[in-house]
Amino acid sequence: MNVTEHLPILQVVLPLASAPLAVLLRDRLAAFVLVLAATWAAFAISVLLWLQVGESGLISYAIGSWPPPWGIEYRVDALASLVLMLVSGIAAVVLPYSRASIEREIRPDKHYLFYAMFALCLSGLLGITVTGDAFNLFVFLEISSLSSYAMIALGKDRRSLVAAYQYLIMGTIGATFIVIGVGLLYIKTGTLNLADLGVRLQAMTSHRPVLAALAFLTVGISLKLAMFPLHQWLPNAYAYAPSAVSAFLAATATKVSVYALLRFYFSVFGETAVFQRLPMEDLMLVLALAGMFVASTVAIFQDNLKRLFAYSSVAQIGYSVLGISFDSVTGLTATIVHLVNHAVTKGGLFLLLGAVIAGMGGVTLARVQGVGRVMPLTSFGIVICGLSLIGVPGTAGFVSKWYLILAALEKGQWWLVFLIVLSSLLAVAYVWRFVEVAYFHAPRADLAGAREAPLALALPAWTLVAATLWFGVDTSLTVGSASRAAGQLLGIAP
Amino acid sequence: MTGFLDHYDYWVMLFLAMSGLFIVIARGNLIKKLVGLAILQTSVYLLYLAPGKIVGGTAPIVDAAFTVYSNPLPQVLILTAIVVGVATLALGLALVVRIREEYGTIEEDEILHLDADPADPADNASASQR
Amino acid sequence: MSADDMLILAALALPGAGSVAILLCGRWPKLRETATLSTATLLLLCVLALLPTVLAGGRPGVRLFELLPGLEIAFRLEPLGMLFALVASALWIVNSLYSIGYMRANHEEHQTRFYVCFALAITAAIGIAFAANMFTLFVFYELLTLITYPLVTHHGTHQARAGGRTYLGVLIGTSMLFLLPALVFTWHVAGTTDFTPGGILGDRLSGFALAGLLALYMFGIGKAALMPFHRWLPAAMVAPTPVSALLHAVAVVKAGVFSVLKVIIYIFGAETLAAEASTDWLLLVAGFTIIGASLVALNADNLKRRLAYSTISQLAYVVLAAAILAPLSLVGAALHIATHAVGKITLFFAAGAIYTAAHKTEVSQLDGIGRRMPWTMAAFTVGALSLIGIPPAAGFISKWFIMSGAMGAGQWAIVVVLLASTLLTAGYISCPSYIELSFSRAAGRRTRARPR
């Protein structure tokens, strides 16, 4: 028996098993070490899987040796391996950060519970990505969602409770819609295996229950990925959650949902059914553009930086959805590249905001006045991430924007090109609100003594900032994997 | 007359789902919202279970005496879904308890009203100066 | 790797390394200024060492790395870029000397930040000058915008912030809105963005598409300040004078018109454009900018504002000359980059000296300034002569080439525009309230101020 054969299941099981153990240990240091080991192991496994997929193309793993479609299949292709690596990589960076961060934000006797929730959330997100079974996907979705509701509720501000409650209501409605969609597909085909569904549905894509399933799945997943106008839960949830949680969720949760949407659209229903027989292309285009513009505009008028960048996330999700709506290799490449780039950028940004909270006690614009002077490194990092959101060359955001524009040009839609660049100018507006407050105001008298963030916070944050810059310069990993994944989704590349 | 009532199980499911969704949207009481959510989730159980039932069928017992089986898989799936539903409800209720502790109310409009008040007076004071 | 390649990389790395040195020496002003000056000198030597190769027809180049498949950051020398690099690196030395005096005399704060950003801006300028493809040029172009932002808002006052907003808004706005789509479109059509003599578009585009792409490029290069995207230049006048000199003479606007020339010559190809009638609108826009900006300058009372509009008008000369598409006028355009740089930096230094010594900023306050600061005003006069284009000042040569190009091409309307603008230039740069009165005896009896 060879361990490398079982990597797909180990990927999920290690964090999953560490969660109850962490609860049993009831000690924050032991829980931290345990979860950290599991998280780093998960990251290492995801890298190994990525390498394996690069060689063999596709890994199919039958759980309990029940062959698919009867048993649950874990399936890792180019896209899944990239998302696995992204999610576990972000977790591997955020977790060490969280130790120093929750010290300031969560009561010490609850720390071990936080680590348990974190491990559960991670395993849920990894499970969604790795599984090849529709119902299994729902279960993992709920695992990750339930743990993230709990983590958001741990926030210091009492509004985090209401935010978590709202997210719970919206998220559960979304998940229920997903189960309804999956149920309808199951009734029609008698299978839950995604690949098998994909084969069997080809003959019945115009049947009404299948169309209903598509509708339910689209709405359900859109709720989870905060596609405009189903994004209302997101700003408060990100704004009032503990810093580490904001960073982790902003960088992974919506990204995995985008992954689920791609999976259902391209692997299950097939691009002909979704885009050629139905006007999904136009629908998604309009929603994406509306999200890009409305959310960016709302972001400009926010006074709390975490809320500001949460709205920016909604806008950036619009870019990803826009890429899907092009229904072309370049468009999907843009979506997937943006998935990674935005995750890294926003993750870094929220980590840095957490460092600002640690130093200045809050992230309202009134409070962070002059942060450029008292915390020069941290605010410089925020500026770099902001530039990436704008899409300045040399940062990761530029690469995604390049592919989006290219995809729009391939379709010959010049007006769309201008709308894309116009919306990035809105990003200039909200990023520069921070820049002006941070650099042109004197710090508030009571905060002038604030000091630069400790290394435990700065190091993980700067890891992601460095990744933001790195992915803006060396794109072989992101673009290479993304274009291969896009080819696979559209059935062009093997 | 074929059609309308042939699939009455779906109509029941649809009625439950829509009532649940309506309660979630229309009610301001946080507990009532959770009740609505639970009804919505429960309706889905029907969606899975009803088609799995075959009249006269038994559990899949491999024996010459039984020839017609019902599909057991939906029941397994729904068992999982019930667990998920219970967990969601429990977490939701726990959140409501905490909200009640912090705000002293579980009415949505009152909570929103309370949150409209400045939570950090220092921040808001200087924010209005700008 | 040959010696030339090493020199190219050195020229690119030097200002960056210099900025680190400046940052490290931040506590000791003298050391910091030495670092600035020595970096500037080394850079000039580097560029000069590359000159013989280029003059001999060599086109050394370096490929750094591939950013996206088929899109790489690469550098290649050619005469035009060499000219720009020479102007930038030579004027950096002059400007550094001047800024040391200016910043000290005016007790400016954040001087370390100033010198660091300045050095980084020069890196970006050298990157633009040496870029081997439009993509590389674009990257450094954006970099230049961002790096100069802290310089423009140096004072950090409300006014400086407002100016900075306009500066950044227009420059980032135009480059994102027009230049980036133009770049992606070029890549989409031609499959490359390499600067190739004769252009890379070939006959793939014509008519409306070609004119449209040209418009995207011309307005996208906001640093060339073609009307109506010129507002950033006057707005940036809130900055200290050495920064204005950087913007107007050393790097920024020069990077703009340099990019315009590069695009016209190496992306479109002069012949492709000449064969296409639908691109003539550029002449109109450039001509309008020349006249319009001159008229605004004529009415501006603030000296720096007047000079800013003069720059807008002079930049449009370069664009106009490039748009004539005759070989002679292209030479004139390239020359005008250099002559205007030298002339304008003189004028700005003089303006800064007036501000430092006499704290005068408005033209109407300058009565008798020539008496009090004869040397400064003499320098100002020489700069003004060059700007008008009177021999033996350098401005004459470039104007001569542009004129001959226009005449050769039979574009008489342009000749008229050029003549009219010369008169206007003479009007705004030496109008009575200015040089003549500034030497007047009566006003000169007031307290004397020492020119610096």
Side-chain angles (χ1 to χ4, degrees):
Chain A
M1 155 165 163
N2 191 347
V3 175
T4 52
E5 284 171 18
H6 296 281
L7 287 181
I9 186 79
L10 283 175
Q11 172 87 89
V12 182
V13 161
L14 283 181
L16 191 63
S18 73
L21 282 177
V23 177
L24 290 177
L25 285 171
R26 297 191 73 89
D27 176 74
R28 55 188 174 140
L29 182 66
F32 171 71
V33 172
L34 181 73
V35 174
L36 187 71
T39 307
W40 282 1
F43 180 53
I45 291 171
S46 72
V47 173
L48 288 177
L49 280 176
W50 184 74
L51 292 173
Q52 266 186 31
V53 168
E55 282 169 21
S56 61
L58 180 78
I59 302 171
S60 171
Y61 177 83
I63 290 187
S65 301
W66 292 90
W70 310 113
I72 291 174
E73 179 195 14
Y74 277 9
R75 205 176 163 86
V76 189
D77 59 3
L79 178 59
S81 68
L82 185 67
V83 177
L84 285 177
M85 202 153 70
L86 172 73
V87 172
S88 56
I90 297 274
V93 175
V94 171
L95 191 63
Y97 174 96
S98 69
R99 180 149 193 269
S101 171
I102 60 176
E103 203 74 37
R104 295 169 169 81
E105 296 177 11
I106 301 177
R107 266 169 42 199
D109 58 328
K110 287 190 178 161
H111 283 185
Y112 72 99
L113 291 172
F114 169 83
Y115 294 125
M117 287 299 125
F118 188 92
L120 268 187
C121 189
L122 173 64
S123 67
L125 293 171
L126 292 174
I128 298 171
T129 316
V130 84
T131 189
D133 182 281
F135 202 84
N136 204 227
L137 188 144
F138 157 71
V139 174
F140 277 123
L141 189 73
E142 281 298 42
I143 290 179
S144 69
S145 300
L146 285 171
S147 48
S148 52
Y149 308 146
M151 283 199 291
I152 290 168
L154 286 173
K156 221 180 187 177
D157 194 311
R158 66 176 180 179
R159 279 172 287 190
S160 67
L161 293 171
V162 184
Y165 180 86
Q166 275 170 347
Y167 185 18
L168 179 133
I169 298 283
M170 299 282 270
T172 308
I173 292 175
T176 309
F177 273 39
I178 293 172
V179 200
I180 294 176
V182 171
L184 289 172
L185 289 182
Y186 181 57
I187 292 168
K188 280 303 281 186
T189 60
T191 181
L192 285 168
N193 183 291
L194 290 173
D196 198 30
L197 272 173
V199 175
R200 293 192 191 201
L201 278 177
Q202 288 319 308
M204 48 175 95
T205 45
S206 53
H207 291 199
R208 211 169 287 172
V210 177
L211 293 180
L214 177 66
F216 273 111
L217 283 167
T218 304
V219 175
I221 299 177
S222 300
L223 261 167
K224 287 283 180 187
L225 66 77
M227 189 200 292
F228 183 87
L230 302 173
H231 65 276
Q232 280 92 347
W233 58 268
L234 186 143
N236 281 338
Y238 284 10
Y240 302 121
S243 312
V245 177
S246 303
F248 184 61
L249 292 184
T252 56
T254 50
K255 314 295 174 259
V256 171
S257 303
V258 173
Y259 166 84
L261 191 67
L262 287 172
R263 194 46 87 209
F264 272 109
Y265 273 12
F266 292 94
S267 303
V268 174
F269 291 101
E271 113 355 278
T272 29
V274 181
F275 291 106
Q276 291 173 18
R277 300 223 186 105
L278 292 174
M280 288 306 286
E281 215 167 300
D282 301 334
L283 184 72
M284 296 186 83
L285 181 72
V286 170
L287 290 182
L289 287 175
M292 281 153 59
F293 280 93
V294 175
S296 299
T297 313
V298 175
I300 296 174
F301 296 101
Q302 295 303 313
D303 279 327
N304 180 323
L305 280 178
K306 273 176 102 174
R307 263 179 87 90
L308 189 155
F309 286 113
Y311 273 108
S312 141
S313 277
V314 177
Q316 300 282 331
I317 287 161
Y319 288 117
S320 294
V321 177
L322 188 66
I324 301 177
S325 82
F326 287 130
D327 179 31
S328 65
V329 175
T330 319
L332 286 183
T333 307
T335 298
I336 299 165
V337 168
H338 192 58
L339 217 72
V340 179
N341 288 345
H342 180 244
V344 170
T345 306
K346 249 325 146 36
L349 195 54
F350 275 108
L351 289 186
L352 289 166
L353 287 179
V356 172
I357 291 178
M360 311 281 276
V363 281
T364 50
L365 282 174
R367 223 171 229 286
V368 301
Q369 282 178 12
V371 68
R373 258 170 256 175
V374 289
M375 303 176 78
L377 268 180
T378 305
S379 51
F380 184 57
I382 296 178
V383 171
I384 292 179
C385 292
L387 293 179
S388 176
L389 292 180
I390 298 169
V392 170
T395 58
F398 174 71
V399 180
S400 0
K401 195 147 296 166
W402 178 276
Y403 274 94
L404 267 182
I405 294 176
L406 196 63
L409 277 178
E410 275 179 2
K411 295 255 157 181
Q413 287 164 325
W414 269 101
W415 58 278
L416 210 51
V417 174
F418 285 110
L419 289 181
I420 294 170
V421 287
L422 203 62
S423 77
S424 57
L425 289 185
L426 291 176
V428 178
Y430 60 71
V431 171
W432 241 257
R433 281 200 78 196
F434 168 76
V435 170
E436 292 197 348
V437 167
Y439 289 96
F440 296 121
H441 285 276
R444 250 171 49 183
D446 54 328
L447 298 171
R451 271 193 279 149
E452 188 56 87
L455 200 62
L457 297 181
L459 198 64
W462 273 91
T463 312
L464 290 186
V465 175
T468 302
L469 292 172
W470 178 252
F471 289 146
V473 173
D474 178 19
T475 59
S476 54
L477 172 68
T478 49
V479 174
S481 310
S483 57
R484 206 169 61 230
Q488 279 186 358
L489 284 178
L490 288 170
I492 296 164
Chain B
M1 199 175 103
T2 59
F4 195 73
L5 284 179
D6 274 3
H7 295 294
Y8 65 91
D9 48 335
Y10 290 129
W11 287 107
V12 173
M13 177 257 158
L14 209 62
F15 174 74
L16 281 177
M18 289 308 118
S19 340
L21 208 54
F22 177 78
I23 296 172
V24 174
I25 295 166
R27 295 295 150 183
N29 185 303
L30 298 187
I31 300 273
K32 286 184 182 165
K33 273 177 183 287
L34 285 178
V35 171
L37 204 63
I39 295 175
L40 173 64
Q41 286 183 305
T42 313
S43 72
V44 182
Y45 306 160
L46 274 184
L47 176 74
Y48 275 74
L49 291 176
K53 172 67 185 168
I54 292 177
V55 179
T58 65
I61 302 165
V62 184
D63 189 284
F66 308 107
T67 50
V68 182
Y69 301 140
S70 281
N71 186 351
L73 189 60
Q75 304 183 14
V76 179
L77 296 178
I78 289 316
L79 217 52
T80 319
I82 289 172
V83 175
V84 170
V86 169
T88 312
L89 197 59
L91 180 60
L93 289 171
L95 281 175
V96 174
V97 171
R98 287 280 297 121
I99 289 175
R100 159 96 190 174
E101 281 172 13
E102 292 286 337
Y103 289 85
T105 174
I106 55 168
E107 291 297 324
E108 197 176 25
D109 45 352
E110 289 175 23
I111 292 169
L112 291 178
H113 187 69
L114 283 172
D115 268 344
D117 293 341
D120 184 353
D123 281 0
N124 282 282
S126 42
S128 56
Q129 276 167 17
R130 274 186 306 108
Chain C
M1 191 175 270
S2 73
D4 283 334
D5 297 352
M6 292 298 289
L7 275 174
I8 294 177
L9 290 180
L12 284 162
L14 256 176
S19 69
V20 176
I22 295 165
L23 196 63
L24 292 178
C25 305
R27 282 164 190 275
W28 307 279
K30 287 200 173 130
L31 210 57
R32 178 183 68 202
E33 282 145 15
T34 317
T36 302
L37 280 176
S38 44
T39 315
T41 317
L42 278 175
L43 178 66
L44 181 63
L45 289 178
C46 246
V47 175
L48 281 176
L50 282 166
L51 195 58
T53 323
V54 177
L55 288 181
R59 299 285 182 269
V62 189
R63 288 163 187 280
L64 272 193
F65 56 86
E66 202 173 49
L67 193 90
L68 294 172
L71 275 177
E72 47 191 11
I73 299 290
F75 304 96
R76 171 124 32 86
L77 297 189
E78 43 86 44
L80 193 58
M82 211 55 217
L83 179 75
F84 178 41
L86 265 179
V87 170
S89 54
L91 291 185
W92 187 25
I93 301 183
V94 182
N95 202 351
S96 301
L97 283 171
Y98 182 83
S99 14
I100 292 168
Y102 182 93
M103 300 303 271
R104 283 190 179 178
N106 286 305
H107 307 290
E108 298 278 358
E109 289 178 351
H110 307 299
Q111 291 198 24
T112 306
R113 186 180 76 194
F114 171 85
Y115 289 113
V116 168
C117 287
F118 213 106
L120 287 174
I122 299 293
T123 309
I126 298 288
I128 292 172
F130 289 173
N133 53 46
M134 193 58 209
F135 181 68
T136 310
L137 194 148
F138 176 74
V139 171
F140 282 98
Y141 179 94
E142 293 286 49
L143 210 61
L144 185 59
T145 308
L146 292 172
I147 290 170
T148 44
Y149 173 77
L151 291 173
V152 170
T153 55
H154 184 83
H155 289 135
T157 56
H158 187 69
Q159 233 183 343
R161 253 187 298 160
R165 260 183 223 168
T166 315
Y167 180 77
L168 200 79
V170 174
L171 286 187
I172 291 264
T174 50
S175 69
M176 283 272 167
L177 214 49
F178 306 128
L179 190 54
L180 181 60
L183 180 63
V184 182
F185 188 58
T186 307
W187 194 60
H188 181 58
V189 169
T192 171
T193 65
D194 285 350
F195 291 127
T196 317
I200 52 173
L201 293 174
D203 48 5
R204 292 192 191 88
L205 288 178
S206 63
F208 179 72
L210 194 71
L213 185 61
L214 184 70
L216 284 181
Y217 269 118
M218 291 304 121
F219 291 122
I221 302 173
K223 291 198 173 83
L226 267 187
M227 278 183 179
F229 298 108
H230 64 284
R231 291 276 312 132
W232 63 272
L233 202 46
M237 282 299 119
V238 293
T241 305
V243 176
S244 303
L246 171 79
L247 296 182
H248 288 259
V250 183
V252 179
V253 299
K254 293 299 169 292
V257 285
F258 172 75
S259 308
V260 166
L261 284 182
K262 279 278 215 185
V263 165
I264 287 183
I265 298 174
Y266 295 114
I267 296 284
F268 287 96
E271 270 126 50
T272 316
L273 284 181
E276 189 64 59
S278 61
T279 54
D280 287 350
W281 60 266
L282 185 57
L283 289 171
L284 280 176
V285 173
F288 176 80
T289 307
I290 293 179
I291 301 291
S294 301
L295 286 173
V296 177
L298 206 54
N299 289 319
D301 191 34
N302 184 297
L303 180 56
K304 282 173 82 175
R305 185 176 156 81
R306 184 173 286 207
L307 290 179
Y309 273 97
S310 144
T311 302
I312 295 170
S313 141
Q314 296 287 320
L315 290 176
Y317 268 78
V318 181
V319 178
L320 184 80
I324 295 170
L325 299 168
L328 267 183
S329 66
L330 285 176
V331 174
L335 272 179
H336 201 68
I337 292 182
T339 56
H340 174 251
V342 185
K344 196 40 85 48
I345 203 170
T346 316
L347 292 174
F348 267 108
F349 284 172
I354 294 171
Y355 170 73
T356 309
H359 293 283
K360 296 281 196 300
T361 53
E362 307 301 303
V363 176
S364 50
Q365 302 169 334
L366 292 180
D367 280 12
I369 201 81
R371 276 261 157 195
R372 293 154 60 197
M373 304 174 69
W375 287 108
T376 307
M377 289 323 288
F380 192 96
T381 314
V382 174
L385 289 179
S386 174
L387 212 61
I388 304 167
I390 298 174
F396 167 72
I397 306 171
S398 49
K399 256 190 192 171
W400 175 270
F401 274 105
I402 298 174
M403 284 278 207
S404 352
M407 287 179 186
Q411 302 268 24
W412 294 104
I414 294 175
V415 177
V416 172
V417 167
L418 289 175
L419 287 175
S421 87
T422 305
L423 286 178
L424 284 171
T425 313
Y428 66 71
I429 210 75
S430 61
C431 64
S433 69
Y434 205 67
I435 288 182
E436 285 153 51
L437 270 192
S438 63
F439 282 99
S440 79
R441 192 171 291 258
R445 288 212 187 96
R446 292 179 207 151
T447 46
R448 292 178 68 91
R450 197 161 53 87
R452 287 166 192 263

Coordinates of all heavy atoms in Angstrom, one line a residue, chain A residues 117 145-155 164, chain B residues 91 95:
Chain A
M117 N -12.7 25.2 14.7 CA -13.6 25.7 13.7 C -12.8 26.0 12.4 O -13.2 25.7 11.3 CB -14.2 27.1 14.1 CG -15.3 26.9 15.1 SD -16.6 26.0 14.5 CE -16.7 24.7 15.7
S145 N -19.5 26.1 5.8 CA -20.4 27.3 6.1 C -20.6 27.3 7.6 O -20.5 28.4 8.2 CB -21.7 27.2 5.4 OG -21.5 27.1 4.0
L146 N -21.1 26.2 8.2 CA -21.4 26.3 9.6 C -20.2 26.7 10.5 O -20.3 27.5 11.4 CB -21.9 24.9 10.1 CG -23.3 24.5 9.7 CD1 -23.5 23.0 10.0 CD2 -24.3 25.3 10.3
S147 N -19.0 26.2 10.1 CA -17.9 26.6 10.9 C -17.6 28.1 10.7 O -17.1 28.8 11.6 CB -16.7 25.7 10.6 OG -16.5 25.6 9.2
S148 N -17.8 28.6 9.4 CA -17.5 30.0 9.3 C -18.5 30.9 9.9 O -18.2 31.9 10.4 CB -17.4 30.3 7.8 OG -18.5 29.9 7.1
Y149 N -19.8 30.4 10.0 CA -20.8 31.3 10.8 C -20.2 31.4 12.3 O -20.3 32.5 12.8 CB -22.2 30.6 10.9 CG -22.8 30.2 9.6 CD1 -23.6 29.1 9.5 CD2 -22.6 31.0 8.4 CE1 -24.2 28.7 8.3 CE2 -23.1 30.6 7.2 CZ -23.9 29.5 7.2 OH -24.5 29.1 6.0
A150 N -19.8 30.2 12.8 CA -19.3 30.3 14.2 C -18.1 31.2 14.3 O -18.0 31.9 15.3 CB -19.0 28.9 14.6
M151 N -17.2 31.1 13.3 CA -16.0 31.9 13.5 C -16.3 33.4 13.4 O -15.7 34.2 14.0 CB -15.0 31.5 12.4 CG -14.3 30.2 12.7 SD -12.8 30.0 11.7 CE -13.4 29.8 10.1
I152 N -17.3 33.7 12.5 CA -17.6 35.2 12.3 C -18.2 35.7 13.7 O -17.9 36.8 14.1 CB -18.6 35.4 11.2 CG1 -17.9 35.1 9.9 CG2 -19.2 36.8 11.2 CD1 -18.8 35.0 8.7
A153 N -19.0 34.8 14.3 CA -19.7 35.2 15.5 C -18.7 35.5 16.7 O -19.0 36.0 17.7 CB -20.7 34.2 15.9
L154 N -17.5 35.0 16.5 CA -16.4 35.2 17.5 C -15.9 36.6 17.5 O -15.1 37.0 18.4 CB -15.3 34.3 17.3 CG -15.5 32.8 17.7 CD1 -14.3 31.9 17.2 CD2 -15.8 32.6 19.2
G155 N -16.3 37.5 16.6 CA -15.8 38.8 16.5 C -16.1 39.6 17.7 O -17.0 39.3 18.5
A164 N -23.3 37.2 11.5 CA -23.2 35.7 11.4 C -24.6 35.2 11.3 O -24.8 34.3 10.4 CB -22.5 35.2 12.7
Chain B
L91 N -27.0 25.9 15.7 CA -26.1 27.1 15.7 C -26.9 28.4 15.6 O -26.5 29.4 16.3 CB -25.1 27.0 14.5 CG -24.1 28.1 14.3 CD1 -23.2 28.2 15.4 CD2 -23.3 27.9 13.0
L95 N -26.8 31.5 18.2 CA -26.6 32.8 17.9 C -27.6 33.8 18.4 O -27.4 34.8 18.9 CB -26.5 33.0 16.3 CG -25.2 32.5 15.7 CD1 -25.3 32.6 14.2 CD2 -24.0 33.4 16.2

